[in-house]
Amino acid sequence: MKLQLAKNTKLLIAEDQVLAKSHIHYALEQLGFRNMDYVDRPSHALSAIQEHDYDAIICSYNLRSEQGGYFLLEQLNVAHTLPLTSAFIFTSADTSTEVVHAIIELQPDEFIAKPFSVNELDRRLSRVLSRKKALKNVYAFMDKKDYEKALAEIEFFLLQPENADHFPLAMKIKGDLFLLTQQYQTAIAFFESIINVQDFNWAKMGIAKSLIALNEFDDAEREIIQLATRPDSALEAYDLLATLQIKLAAFDDALECTSLACAMSPRNIERHQRAINLARITHDYESQFNSAKKVVRYARGSIHDKPEIYLCAARAGVDFAMTSEPEHVNNIVKQTNEYLRQLKKSHPRATLNDELAVIDARLHYLKDDSARAQSLLSDFHVDYDQHHSTEALLDRAKALHEVGMKKESLAILDAISTREEPTSDGTNLMSAYLKQEKAEKEAISLSPKTLNNTAVAQYKRGDLTQSYTTFSQAFRVMPKNPSIALNYLQSIIRARKSNTSLPPNTLADIRKCRETLETAQLSADQQSRYDNVKTILKGE
């Protein structure tokens, strides 16, 4: 460590373990640092950063309060409080895959595993502080979002031989700036020139992002799949592949990739929220509920810990219960009520009477108390108040449709659809979901809970045409339900035998039903029925 660099550097150290604090204080003094502030909580660190300009923050990931160091850097990133000219360095005794992925996603400037030696700290700090100083002008323009000037500055930087130690990072920044200024063809040529020298993952990722922006989806997919096979780029590759699949409206595939990324790095709340939206579009109610539960779990004590996450979990629970087998409903409702209890405990002052009344109405409907459900909803269905969130009004539209108030439900969907502007590339998931909800509720009058029972009754009466139609509607809104998939398949076979005219999409539905049944855990009776169905289909 250059003594002058150390003396001119102001540090903030966030550490709450006495021995660790003593060790890092000793190490920093040995390296010549004198201007150091210490805090032991993320909230205190945020206050210090607002009051002072620090050249670097050294933060323990394992702080034992307020979601720890993860919360601190997440808060700084969201609020754009920490300039790029300042360094953020994580330290952690936990080097598990989950923690490493979480840290990588937050993109600190450095990560140092505990315990570390004075020499190790010297090497890492020297590297970070010297590159921040060298690239100060570039970072200053980037902080101002003046990317054209930043690009000019980085070009000048790369012409100076004395900056050679920082050329790899500078080249990566240059590529990022090409993407930020939407110079995609130039970016591809630049990244390819980098790969010709060394096969950097970031350069291959830059090519993939540029190809997506240019709608070269096949080429982009090939690049991303290669990156997904590399452990150090798999997480970002899955996210990018999900983005590509959303653009192609391949929502099932996008959900699968997003779920894989969630499993690799479960603390990323935005990714779980994307999974919720994708699960809703694909009618995967169980995945929707599981993702909503994870949001609550990982958001506690963070900037995401708001009443909405508990409402989201409760609504997802109701959606799941509404489409589940009868024997599972009570357990799902119990979990739903637990999230409502947690909401009241965590946010006792939140004013959510309307939202809770709608959820209560849906829960009464689940208990076959439609009269009480309709009573709870009667005061709300004509209210399109802009003070209500899109999610609150969407839940109300679902509740009204369930109790038979289809006209009022569609009116709400019309009102909130105007809030969402569909993007040209189709990546607005809420817009896609609202469009789908409106189409389904216009075409289908019965609630998911009622559809299957009605179809079974029609089937038993021998009303083949009507039962086929009702089963097809049930499968449209509950394609992951094996009972409905099996019933629908049987109705198709019976309708064929009676020479009933079937629509042209029947073969596609047969494939989808079989996909559901092949991946589900079937009871002995269901397996026997499905084996019989497969024999019949094979013989046709």
Side-chain angles (χ1 to χ4, degrees):
M1 176 68 67
K2 294 179 180 178
L3 190 59
Q4 197 60 38
L5 179 62
K7 283 184 176 180
N8 293 335
T9 298
K10 184 173 179 60
L11 297 177
L12 176 67
I13 295 91
E15 177 61 75
D16 63 354
Q17 297 183 31
V18 176
L19 289 177
K21 183 187 289 187
S22 176
H23 174 68
I24 196 169
H25 180 78
Y26 168 79
L28 290 169
E29 283 199 328
Q30 290 293 305
L31 297 174
F33 290 94
R34 296 292 181 266
N35 196 352
M36 298 172 283
D37 293 337
Y38 289 85
V39 293
D40 60 2
R41 301 174 71 89
S43 56
H44 296 167
L46 286 169
S47 298
I49 291 166
Q50 289 170 354
E51 293 175 10
H52 305 285
D53 293 327
Y54 292 101
D55 298 295
I57 294 94
I58 302 174
C59 176
S60 172
Y61 183 85
N62 311 93
L63 291 174
R64 289 168 291 185
S65 64
E66 303 169 344
Q67 286 280 329
Y70 185 96
F71 168 81
L72 174 59
L73 186 50
E74 184 183 41
Q75 179 85 318
L76 292 171
N77 287 343
V78 169
H80 303 290
T81 306
L82 189 69
L84 291 170
T85 48
S86 298
F88 193 99
I89 301 155
F90 265 133
T91 64
S92 176
D94 186 351
T95 56
S96 64
T97 302
E98 179 180 321
V99 168
V100 170
H101 275 137
I103 289 173
I104 289 171
E105 285 206 86
L106 290 175
Q107 297 185 338
D109 294 283
E110 189 58 271
F111 169 58
I112 308 175
K114 297 177 181 177
F116 48 81
S117 66
V118 174
N119 287 339
E120 176 73 359
L121 185 64
D122 183 7
R123 185 171 65 85
R124 300 291 191 92
L125 268 179
S126 294
R127 185 168 62 190
V128 172
L129 292 173
S130 63
R131 73 186 184 217
K132 286 291 182 181
K133 182 179 179 182
L135 290 160
K136 183 177 180 180
N137 292 339
V138 177
Y139 287 137
F141 284 125
M142 291 178 71
D143 277 326
K144 296 175 184 176
K145 292 185 169 47
D146 193 341
Y147 301 127
E148 294 289 352
K149 287 185 179 178
L151 195 52
E153 189 68 33
I154 204 75
E155 295 279 15
F156 178 76
F157 182 90
L158 288 166
L159 293 174
Q160 313 305 312
E162 63 269 24
N163 296 326
D165 288 347
H166 305 294
F167 279 0
L169 175 60
M171 296 295 274
K172 182 179 184 303
I173 293 172
K174 182 178 178 179
D176 291 339
L177 288 167
F178 280 138
L179 295 177
L180 287 167
T181 53
Q182 300 181 9
Q183 299 180 56
Y184 300 118
Q185 294 288 4
T186 303
I188 290 173
F190 170 74
F191 289 127
E192 285 177 343
S193 70
I194 294 293
I195 292 169
N196 287 335
V197 177
Q198 189 166 346
D199 191 24
F200 286 113
N201 284 339
W202 57 263
K204 294 183 76 68
M205 198 70 72
I207 289 175
K209 290 176 181 177
S210 300
L211 289 169
I212 289 175
L214 294 169
N215 295 329
E216 299 288 342
F217 297 137
D218 290 341
D219 291 338
E221 186 174 26
R222 281 192 289 271
E223 293 283 349
I224 299 168
I225 288 172
Q226 289 182 20
L227 288 163
T229 64
R230 303 181 179 188
D232 52 349
S233 60
L235 181 61
E236 188 177 0
Y238 283 130
D239 276 337
L240 197 56
L241 191 55
T243 299
L244 171 59
Q245 289 159 342
I246 289 169
K247 284 176 173 284
L248 297 173
F251 298 118
D252 280 295
D253 294 334
L255 176 58
E256 183 179 356
C257 286
T258 303
S259 298
L260 287 168
C262 286
M264 293 173 68
S265 183
R267 295 195 66 169
N268 187 307
I269 300 300
E270 289 185 5
R271 187 179 292 116
H272 286 304
Q273 289 171 334
R274 174 189 267 193
I276 290 170
N277 287 328
L278 287 167
R280 295 199 296 190
I281 291 173
T282 58
H283 302 98
D284 192 339
Y285 305 103
E286 184 173 10
S287 292
Q288 177 193 346
F289 191 32
N290 287 336
S291 295
K293 289 191 287 187
K294 287 173 184 173
V295 169
V296 173
R297 175 184 173 187
Y298 290 107
R300 284 196 181 95
S302 78
I303 57 174
H304 303 285
D305 193 349
K306 299 175 182 177
E308 287 74 20
I309 65 172
Y310 300 90
L311 289 171
C312 178
R315 289 165 180 156
V318 175
D319 286 348
F320 186 29
M322 202 72 68
T323 57
S324 294
E325 305 293 350
E327 61 268 24
H328 301 312
V329 171
N330 286 340
N331 181 49
I332 299 169
V333 169
K334 183 178 178 181
Q335 293 179 62
T336 299
N337 284 320
E338 174 59 21
Y339 284 108
L340 294 175
R341 186 193 68 78
Q342 290 180 29
L343 166 60
K344 293 171 184 175
K345 181 180 178 182
S346 301
H347 300 276
R349 297 182 180 178
T351 305
L352 301 165
N353 293 338
D354 288 357
E355 290 87 342
L356 294 174
V358 172
I359 294 173
D360 192 26
R362 299 189 72 196
L363 289 170
H364 276 286
Y365 177 78
L366 275 170
K367 300 173 188 175
D368 295 320
D369 189 356
S370 296
R372 176 60 179 155
Q374 197 161 356
S375 174
L376 285 165
L377 294 167
S378 60
D379 294 334
F380 300 123
H381 65 272
V382 295
D383 177 14
Y384 309 139
D385 194 334
Q386 293 299 309
H387 295 296
H388 287 91
S389 69
T390 295
E391 290 288 354
L393 292 172
L394 176 59
D395 201 42
R396 189 180 302 176
K398 290 180 182 178
L400 290 165
H401 185 269
E402 285 155 5
V403 298
M405 302 171 73
K406 180 177 174 179
K407 179 181 177 182
E408 292 83 353
S409 173
L410 291 173
I412 289 181
L413 290 173
D414 279 335
I416 58 178
S417 292
T418 60
R419 296 183 178 184
E420 298 293 327
E421 291 294 332
T423 54
S424 58
D425 58 8
T427 56
N428 186 330
L429 292 176
M430 176 56 82
S431 177
Y433 180 54
L434 288 172
K435 183 179 179 181
Q436 177 179 282
E437 278 289 291
K438 186 181 177 189
E440 289 176 356
K441 285 176 171 46
E442 284 177 336
I444 304 169
S445 297
L446 298 176
S447 71
K449 181 174 179 288
T450 306
L451 279 169
N452 195 41
N453 292 337
T454 303
V456 169
Q458 293 166 344
Y459 184 84
K460 288 180 178 178
R461 289 198 308 265
D463 190 346
L464 299 184
T465 302
Q466 193 57 52
S467 70
Y468 169 83
T469 300
T470 311
F471 274 133
S472 67
Q473 291 178 344
F475 186 70
R476 179 176 175 180
V477 297
M478 294 176 279
K480 312 296 182 182
N481 187 308
S483 176
I484 288 171
L486 187 53
N487 286 338
Y488 185 29
L489 269 183
Q490 289 184 308
S491 74
I492 291 172
I493 290 169
R494 190 170 174 183
R496 277 180 168 183
K497 286 182 178 178
S498 66
N499 295 319
T500 301
S501 177
L502 299 176
N505 66 334
T506 303
L507 286 177
D509 280 358
I510 290 174
R511 286 194 297 272
K512 291 177 184 176
C513 286
R514 296 194 64 172
E515 287 173 8
T516 296
L517 292 164
E518 294 290 346
T519 56
Q521 289 187 337
L522 304 180
S523 67
D525 176 63
Q526 287 176 326
Q527 189 63 56
S528 175
R529 289 166 56 200
Y530 182 44
D531 289 341
N532 186 49
V533 166
K534 285 192 290 185
T535 301
I536 296 171
L537 289 173
K538 188 176 180 181
E540 289 186 353

